[in-house]
């Protein structure tokens, strides 16, 4: 059944249907409806809801619940996610699964409450201390946001690693029809390592503390090996053909806007393709590389001054030019704005 | 024939403590482990570990243990207890951990009345990082970062944690004890037992503060350090029960 829902609420309901048993949160715009929704729904499903005193506490509560072996989620927006970085590093170090939602807003600092994509680096390149990457998915519609949240619990457990859904203020706020997954299609795995009391087994320890350098190096190598396997989770959307003048690349809300600009140019007979990374880490490197080889030029647009751009540049062969157009501070580029940019590119301008 | 009158608590692994000679962490570990055994809780207990000298508690307690970042143990314990109400959850925290970086976490866990036990080791110094000033460092006391003695005009006054937390409505039991002599150890043991009962009877938050010697951080021989706890620390931090809402029979 399809229902009309706000992005934040669809993500909340998807989590509950995936078997999320505990939610910890702290209010911040533009994701407050998510915490409101959870405060009503978690008691109905006999789960745990708690509003903590800070995001620092929130992420450590997520850590505790994950260590105890239950499905746990939190959500926040940029400044709140900054406060969570310590705990995210600890989740990774202790190999704990959890689902984290960042509904990005404009920064740096207090910034504003408008949509933004300027936390790409923070999410995909570490953010906290230590050698790690965070599995990151970027939806571009309400219905995709819900399905990514739903699947994120399985992926988090599969790798014993936190998964972030990197949305933005626009996606959090728009209402769209969604068909939500049924309850319990995905089943929480049994966690032999979880802290449930040492009954009939030796004591379990959830740690990231390895004082001996050799042992810590070994632990890091195990993590690195795991990160390689995460390539199985690569997701992207593409609409390409063999002889393109321009390949337009974006993620999240900007991808949605860019797609309509691309469509308009296609209708005008222009040779333009479209590529949208859905998993930001792991980044769809091979797919983007081979798509870009079929084009004369690659165009990237983001609501930031070029963070994903660095990954695109890394992947696209050197002889293909990469052009960029970014807006920031909460300004969302309009379909016409992107249409005009692309059009002038196609005509040899920009 | 000989009768064994003392044995290692089952809840300890038997691994030798790494603590410095005369350090009270070891005695406090033992009191908690013995009480876990007495209440037959080994298979239900989850210990939340601090950073600080007791970061190694996971090596010593033969129970499930979760690490926590510096100061965050009360948040970690809150979640563990809330998602597994049938488990017995305790944190073990030093003064740097609980009264400096983790002040927000402890205040709010107490205010919410989380049904957990907090064992707070106040040695008036940061032991592990090399003897720097703690929020509990006594006025005039020399540390690595107050080489001329703590000057309250510059570094402020010590925080009295038991007195600070006791008034919260969510707090069920707070007592300050020390383990500097066998008489005091017996009293401390009773406080630990009581804290356990408060959680088992779901009465809310309980905290036992131990005045504890850090001979290394204080630059004193062990015997002198134990005396210093009694003569100086207990003046700044008076022993006693600060809150007790009452247990069922
Ligand atoms: C975020 C963070 N900051 C600083 C440290 C370094 N650190 C480790 S232990 C410690 C002091 C601990 O003192 P206390 O809690 O009093 O315990 P003690 O060592 O005295 O038993 C500090 C500052 C850390 N581990 N994490
Ligand atoms: S430094 Fe102090 S607190 Fe740490 S083990 Fe030594 S005596 Fe104990």
């Amino acid at each position: 059944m399809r229902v009309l829902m706000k992005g934040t609420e669809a993500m909340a309901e998807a989590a509950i249907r995936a078997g999320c048993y505990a939610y910890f949160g702290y209010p911040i715009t533009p994701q407050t409806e998510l915490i409101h929704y959870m405060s009503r729904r978690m008691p109905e499903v006999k789960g745990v809801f708690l509003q903590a005193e800070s995001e620092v506490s929130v992420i450590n509560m997520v850590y505790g619940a994950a260590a105890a072996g239950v499905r746990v989620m939190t959500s926040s927006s940029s400044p709140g996610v900054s406060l969570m970085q310590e705990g995210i590093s600890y989740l990774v170090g202790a190999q704990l699964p959890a689902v984290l939602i960042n509904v990005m807003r404009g920064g740096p600092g207090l910034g504003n409450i408008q949509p933004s994509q300027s936390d790409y680096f923070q999410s995909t390149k570490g953010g906290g201390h230590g050698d790690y990457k965070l599995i990151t998915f970027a939806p571009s519609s309400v219905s995709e946001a819900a399905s990514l949240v739903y699947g994120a619990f399985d992926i988090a457990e599969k790798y014993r690693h936190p998964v972030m859904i990197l949305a933005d203020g626009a996606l959090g706020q728009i209402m769209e029809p969604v068909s939500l997954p049924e309850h319990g299609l995905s089943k929480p795995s049994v966690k032999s390592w979880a802290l449930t009391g040492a009954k009939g087994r030796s004591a379990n320890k959830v740690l990231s503390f390895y004082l001996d350098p050799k042992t810590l190096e070994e632990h890091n190598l195990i993590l690195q090996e795991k990160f390689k396997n995460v390539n199985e989770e690569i997701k992207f959307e593409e609409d390409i053909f063999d002889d393109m003048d321009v390949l337009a690349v974006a993620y999240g809300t900007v991808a949605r806007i860019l797609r309509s600009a691309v469509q308009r140019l296609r209708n005008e007979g222009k040779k333009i393709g479209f590529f949208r990374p859905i998993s930001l880490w792991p980044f769809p490197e091979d797919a983007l590389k081979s798509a870009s080889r079929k084009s004369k030029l690659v165009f990237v647009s983001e609501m930031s001054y070029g963070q994903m751009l660095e990954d695109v540049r890394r992947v696209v062969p050197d002889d293909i030019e990469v052009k960029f157009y970014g807006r920031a501070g909460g300004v969302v580029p309009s379909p016409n704005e992107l249409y005009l940019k692309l059009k002038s590119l196609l005509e040899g301008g920009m | 024939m000989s009768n064994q009158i003392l044995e290692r608590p089952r809840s300890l692994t038997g691994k030798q403590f790494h603590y410095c000679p005369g350090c009270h962490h070891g005695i406090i570990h033992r009191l908690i482990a013995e009480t876990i055994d007495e209440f037959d809780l080994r298979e239900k207990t989850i210990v939340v570990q601090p950073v600080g000298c007791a970061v190694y508690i996971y090596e010593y307690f033969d129970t499930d243990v979760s690490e926590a970042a510096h100061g965050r143990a009360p948040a970690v314990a809150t979640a563990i207890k809330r998602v597994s109400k049938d488990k017995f959850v305790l944190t073990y925290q030093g003064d740097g951990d609980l009264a400096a970086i983790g002040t927000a976490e402890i205040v709010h866990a107490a205010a919410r009345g989380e049904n957990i036990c907090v064992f707070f080791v106040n040695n008036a110094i940061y032991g592990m990082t090399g003897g720097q000033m703690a929020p509990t460092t006594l006025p005039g006391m020399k540390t690595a970062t107050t080489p001329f003695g703590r000057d309250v005009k510059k570094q402020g006054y010590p925080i009295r944690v038991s007195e600070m937390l006791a008034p919260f409505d969510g707090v069920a039991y707070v007592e300050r004890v020390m383990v500097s002599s066998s008489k005091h150890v017996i009293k401390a043991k009773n406080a630990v037992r009581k804290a356990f009962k408060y959680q088992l009877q779901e009465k809310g938050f309980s905290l036992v503060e131990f005045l504890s010697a850090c001979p290394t951080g204080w630059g004193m021989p062990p015997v002198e350090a134990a005396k210093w706890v009694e003569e100086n620390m207990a003046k700044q931090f008076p022993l006693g029960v600060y809150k007790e809402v009452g247990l069922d029979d």
Side-chain angles (χ1 to χ4, degrees), chain B residues 67-237:
Chain B
E67 177 183 81
H70 197 19
R72 319 295 177 219
V76 173
T78 291
I80 295 176
K81 185 69 183 185
R82 286 199 178 220
V83 303
S84 25
K85 286 204 164 40
D86 59 326
K87 299 299 183 298
F88 185 80
V89 181
L90 66 93
T91 74
Y92 186 102
Q93 301 179 258
D95 41 65
D97 196 77
L98 180 143
I101 196 168
T103 325
E105 284 78 9
I106 196 67
V107 163
H108 288 274
R112 287 191 303 263
E114 296 299 337
N115 194 36
I116 57 172
C117 298
V118 173
F119 297 107
F120 169 46
V121 180
N122 177 0
N123 57 15
I125 207 157
Y126 288 11
M128 174 161 248
T129 40
Q132 299 85 1
M133 185 187 79
T136 45
T137 294
L138 271 48
M141 185 175 164
K142 283 189 180 167
T143 71
T145 49
T146 53
F148 313 108
R150 181 178 188 158
D151 176 352
V152 295
K153 290 265 181 303
K154 292 187 181 131
Q155 286 102 17
Y157 294 87
I159 294 177
R160 293 191 185 92
V161 168
S162 289
E163 288 87 331
M164 172 175 80
L165 296 179
F168 284 109
D169 294 335
V171 173
Y173 173 63
V174 176
E175 182 166 357
R176 184 182 287 126
V177 297
M178 56 189 184
V179 293
S180 53
S181 70
S182 50
K183 184 184 88 190
H184 283 292
V185 168
I186 292 165
K187 276 198 183 161
K189 174 71 173 283
N190 279 328
V192 174
R193 273 197 198 109
K194 240 195 222 169
F196 271 57
K197 284 187 190 157
Y198 271 96
Q199 181 174 162
L200 293 171
Q201 294 187 10
E202 296 179 21
K203 298 281 185 194
F205 184 92
S206 59
L207 178 140
V208 179
E209 173 174 348
F210 299 87
L211 301 184
S212 180
C214 178
T216 306
W218 300 350
M220 273 177 216
V223 177
E224 204 181 306
K227 236 173 90 191
W228 201 84
V229 172
E230 295 185 356
E231 288 172 5
N232 295 286
M233 280 193 79
K235 264 201 206 102
Q236 176 71 42
F237 305 107

Side-chain angles (χ1 to χ4, degrees), chain A residues 23-343:
Chain A
Y23 172 92
F24 302 94
Y26 188 83
I28 181 168
T29 314
Q31 63 82 52
T32 28
E33 294 88 352
L34 213 159
I35 173 169
H36 295 174
Y37 192 93
M38 284 302 203
S39 69
R40 285 195 307 273
R41 282 285 282 136
M42 287 310 278
E44 281 174 17
V45 295
K46 302 205 162 35
V48 171
F49 168 87
L50 184 62
Q51 178 178 330
E53 67 274 20
S54 70
E55 289 87 352
V56 177
S57 266
V58 164
I59 196 68
N60 286 283
M61 288 173 182
V62 167
Y63 182 102
V70 305
R71 289 195 158 183
V72 56
M73 183 171 93
T74 186
S75 59
S76 189
S77 179
S78 311
V81 177
S82 288
L83 279 183
M84 292 181 182
Q85 293 306 320
E86 172 194 65
I88 295 173
S89 166
Y90 274 76
L91 285 169
V92 171
Q95 303 203 67
L96 291 174
V99 176
L100 321 167
I101 295 176
N102 182 358
V103 183
M104 290 180 282
R105 60 187 244 180
L110 199 48
N112 63 18
I113 58 172
Q114 302 307 320
S116 156
Q117 293 182 322
S118 48
D119 304 346
Y120 180 96
F121 284 155
Q122 184 191 55
S123 183
T124 61
K125 310 282 178 196
H129 58 286
D131 277 305
Y132 80 90
K133 297 280 171 48
L134 187 60
I135 301 175
T136 304
F137 295 108
S140 81
S141 70
V142 170
S143 133
E144 188 182 41
S147 84
L148 287 174
V149 167
Y150 188 88
F153 286 91
D154 286 339
I155 293 172
E157 282 174 10
K158 180 172 165 191
Y159 299 99
R160 289 181 60 185
H161 196 73
V163 174
M164 177 163 283
I165 306 299
L166 196 63
D168 61 66
L171 257 173
Q173 296 305 312
I174 49 170
M175 285 186 90
E176 278 184 332
V178 259
S179 44
L180 289 160
E182 275 171 48
H183 276 274
L185 287 178
S186 107
K187 289 259 178 293
S189 61
V190 177
K191 292 145 185 144
S192 57
W193 48 265
L195 306 180
T196 54
K199 189 171 184 169
R201 57 159 170 79
S202 53
N204 280 343
K205 316 280 171 177
V206 169
L207 303 169
S208 62
F209 183 60
Y210 301 92
L211 206 54
D212 169 54
K214 273 225 171 82
T215 320
L216 181 56
E217 186 175 48
E218 273 162 33
H219 175 61
N220 266 287
L221 287 171
I222 291 169
L223 296 180
Q224 292 300 319
E225 205 48 45
K226 175 163 90 175
F227 295 164
K228 280 186 209 149
N229 296 331
V230 180
N231 281 334
E232 284 174 27
E233 311 307 326
I234 285 177
K235 285 188 179 67
F236 60 91
E237 181 198 346
E238 64 181 3
D239 181 3
I240 56 168
F241 45 94
D242 276 343
D243 174 28
M244 298 176 284
D245 288 326
V246 172
L247 176 65
V249 184
Y251 72 97
T253 289
V254 180
R256 209 178 153 124
I257 301 163
L258 187 62
R259 200 167 195 351
S260 58
V262 167
Q263 201 49 55
R264 207 170 135 194
L265 288 157
R266 285 269 196 93
N267 294 344
E268 292 169 13
K270 299 286 192 291
K271 295 199 283 187
I272 178 162
F274 174 77
F275 190 97
R276 174 171 74 96
I278 299 172
S279 56
L280 300 183
W281 190 84
F283 194 69
E285 302 181 359
D286 295 344
L288 179 58
K289 187 183 279 175
S290 70
S292 65
R293 282 207 175 103
K294 297 173 180 164
S295 177
K296 294 193 183 73
L297 189 148
V298 171
F299 172 79
V300 180
S301 183
E302 289 176 74
M303 286 192 285
S304 90
Y305 291 117
Q307 299 193 12
M308 182 183 71
L309 174 67
E310 293 196 2
D311 281 331
V312 174
R313 282 221 167 100
R314 190 166 55 76
V315 161
V316 170
D318 287 345
D319 56 331
I320 297 167
E321 204 180 347
V322 178
K323 293 275 191 187
F324 177 74
Y325 180 67
R327 299 298 303 265
V331 179
V332 183
S334 71
N336 198 48
E337 192 178 348
L338 292 180
Y339 165 82
L340 292 173
K341 280 282 155 204
L342 284 169
K343 199 166 160 127

